[in-house]
């Protein structure tokens, strides 16, 4: 495989763009990150990382000689590989909004030259978007030539919170497009495919990891693989939650049940944790995106719709549990532990905590919320919600009528729960992430199980 360093341009320096930039720079390529957000680019130029992602800052800083940040799209001229990593948020009807992608293509188009350049779609986009990008380039790029400019679909599978490990040691690399373009992509990813790079100290190679599978396919199949993968994972989560609800009725323990079923190698344990359901920028958007693609063809997708409905029900389940204990929310002090949609990220998009805080405030509760990293971001992005930020986790317990565990941050496991519960007005914990391992001197509600054992034992 070719070892030459590639000249890479990355359009969009969000969670995916920055992860991709860090990965490709670490593989030895020269990377230019381009974004329309001037503040973000200025931060990156000052070596400040605009998002929270474990290990990312270190990896970017250790590869600064390979990295350039700019708002100037003319940097595309030098690139042989141009990654599009812009957001594709859902529109009101659930279809992915492609305006950022279309603008990015329009911005890069004038700078395509006469040499071979591969335009790689990493954003999650509806099936057929690869063809749309080709058509836009035909219309907007004066030098567009279908014999040297190729569009590839290379969906991203990283998870926020473990983006580095997912990027450096992926299960598979999916590449959709024509053979010439896919051969080029294999040369870009050669050190990753062969695992010939030196693992960074912040993300050592897992012991039993060998190398990623490479899936070569068509544009359309690659685009579909991303949606189908996310939809399947979302189904697994909702399935566990549906079974958990029934466990509560019949007295079974969801964790013992998922352990029992997960040992079947056809099923596996991952994504079977019962709790508050999924959030974040992907599962909700991508399940809705597939349903809306089906709708275009008058093709119903009832399984996916059910997964979405069960996910919404999990958020309501927390409110129902509170109401069962407290009768009314009016004047009740409710503490919320965790705001990010999952631990180890500051991402607040479609966070379950948002729905909970909004609903509790509507019902008249006084809400105090805490998050180890996402509070500052929440103060900017959730400024329309009625809640106060806690100075520390302990503050959400003070004189509270109930505390909800909404995100399973590790540091919440380390809290002195007995001491904190003693500061509550009414000791009621809604552990919607099944984080607690032992009973407390408090009423504790978990999802699909009851806490057993000695009160106050260490977590
Ligand atoms: N976040 C994830 O965990 C994840 C995982 C897999 C796939 N994806 C997909 O990857 C894509 C990007 O997601 P993200 O979470 O990184 O989004 P993000 O919102 O964090 O980042 C998008 C970036 O694109 C920039 N941008 C917008 N318009 C632009 C333009 N015209 N030119 C250049 N930059 C522009 C924005 O300023 C922003 O910095 C989405 O399609 C998403 O579905 C995300």
């Amino acid at each position: 495989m070719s070892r030459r360093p590639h000249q890479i341009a990355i359009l969009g320096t969000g969670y995916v763009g920055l992860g991709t930039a860090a990965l490709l720079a670490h593989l030895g390529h020269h990377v230019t990150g381009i974004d329309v957000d001037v503040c973000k680019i200025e931060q990156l130029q000052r070596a400040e990382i605009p998002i929270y992602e474990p290990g990312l800052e270190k990896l970017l800083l250790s590869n600064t000689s390979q990295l350039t940040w700019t708002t100037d799209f003319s940097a595309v001229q030098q690139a042989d590989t141009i990654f599009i990593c812009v957001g594709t948020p859902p529109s009101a009807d659930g279809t992915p909004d492609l305006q950022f992608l279309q603008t990015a293509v329009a911005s890069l188009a004038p700078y395509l030259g006469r040499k071979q350049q591969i335009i790689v779609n990493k954003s999650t986009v509806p099936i057929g978007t690869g063809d749309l990008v080709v058509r836009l380039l035909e219309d907007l790029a004066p030098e567009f030539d279908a014999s040297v400019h190729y569009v590839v679909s290379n969906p991203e599978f990283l998870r926020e919170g473990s983006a580095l490990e997912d990027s450096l040691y992926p299960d598979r690399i999916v590449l959709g497009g024509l053979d010439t373009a896919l051969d080029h992509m294999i040369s870009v990813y050669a050190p990753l495919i062969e695992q010939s790079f030196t693992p960074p100290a912040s993300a050592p190679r897992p012991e039993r990891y060998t190398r990623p599978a490479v899936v070569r396919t068509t544009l359309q199949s690659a685009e579909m693989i991303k949606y189908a993968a996310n939809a399947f994972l979302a189904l697994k989560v909702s399935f566990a939650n549906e079974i958990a609800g029934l466990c509560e009725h019949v007295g079974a323990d969801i964790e013992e049940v998922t352990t029992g079923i997960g040992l079947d190698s056809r099923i596996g344990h991952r994504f079977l944790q019962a709790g508050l359901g999924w959030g974040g920028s992907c599962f909700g958007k991508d399940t809705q995106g597939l349903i809306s693609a089906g709708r275009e063809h008058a093709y119903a997708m009832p399984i996916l719709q059910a997964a979405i409905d069960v996910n919404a029900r999990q958020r309501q389940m927390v409110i129902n549990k509170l109401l069962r204990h407290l009768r009314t929310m009016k004047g009740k002090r409710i503490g919320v532990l965790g705001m990010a949609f999952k631990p180890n990220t500051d991402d607040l998009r479609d966070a379950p905590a948002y729905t909970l805080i909004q609903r509790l405030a509507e019902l008249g509760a006084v809400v105090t919320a805490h998050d180890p990293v996402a509070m500052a971001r929440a103060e900017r992005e959730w400024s329309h919600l009625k809640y106060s930020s806690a100075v520390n986790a302990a503050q959400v317990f003070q004189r509270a009528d109930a505390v909800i565990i909404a995100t399973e941050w590790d540091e919440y496991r380390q809290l002195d729960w007995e001491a904190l519960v003693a500061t509550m007005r009414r000791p009621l914990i809604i552990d919607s992430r099944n984080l607690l391992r032992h009973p407390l001197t408090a009423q504790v509600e978990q999802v699909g199980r009851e806490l057993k054992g000695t009160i106050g034992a260490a977590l």
Side-chain angles (χ1 to χ4, degrees), residues 12 14-16 35 40 73 86 88 123-124 156 160 285 349:
Y15 290 89
V16 168
D35 206 292
K40 211 174 246 189
F73 283 81
V86 300
T88 48
S123 299
T124 305
E156 179 56 61
E160 289 171 24
K285 164 172 84 71
R349 290 178 284 188

Side-chain angles (χ1 to χ4, degrees), residues 51-123:
I51 57 167
Y52 176 83
E53 178 62 47
L56 180 65
E57 183 167 9
K58 268 201 187 131
L59 192 58
L60 286 171
L61 294 181
S62 64
N63 288 295
T64 42
S65 60
Q66 309 288 111
L67 287 158
T68 312
W69 309 105
T70 181
T71 53
D72 181 357
F73 283 81
S74 69
V76 161
Q77 275 165 341
Q78 284 81 49
D80 56 60
T81 320
I82 304 152
F83 283 86
I84 302 179
C85 301
V86 300
T88 48
S91 321
D93 67 354
T95 52
D97 179 353
L98 295 182
Q99 61 161 316
F100 300 115
L101 178 110
Q102 288 173 335
T103 311
V105 174
S107 304
L108 78 87
Y111 301 107
L112 281 191
R114 292 191 179 164
K115 59 177 180 181
Q116 176 169 296
Q117 287 174 302
I118 311 297
I119 298 93
V120 189
N121 218 342
K122 240 188 189 314
S123 299

Side-chain angles (χ1 to χ4, degrees), residues 312-345:
R313 185 169 74 180
Q314 292 313 103
R315 297 183 186 189
Q316 184 55 39
M317 171 257 324
V318 172
I319 306 291
N320 293 348
K321 286 189 178 196
L322 279 173
L323 285 170
R324 207 168 60 236
H325 287 275
L326 302 177
R327 310 270 172 211
T328 168
M329 286 296 141
K330 288 189 185 58
K332 298 290 188 323
R333 282 182 201 281
I334 310 293
V336 176
L337 278 180
M339 299 162 91
F341 84 92
K342 67 173 184 179
N344 299 323
T345 181

Side-chain angles (χ1 to χ4, degrees), residues 24-66:
L24 294 174
H26 192 72
L27 297 184
H29 302 308
H30 300 286
V31 180
T32 303
I34 310 174
D35 206 292
V36 288
D37 184 334
V38 181
C39 296
K40 211 174 246 189
I41 290 298
E42 284 174 356
Q43 270 183 296
L44 287 163
Q45 287 168 340
R46 291 195 299 270
E48 293 166 19
I49 311 306
I51 57 167
Y52 176 83
E53 178 62 47
L56 180 65
E57 183 167 9
K58 268 201 187 131
L59 192 58
L60 286 171
L61 294 181
S62 64
N63 288 295
T64 42
S65 60
Q66 309 288 111

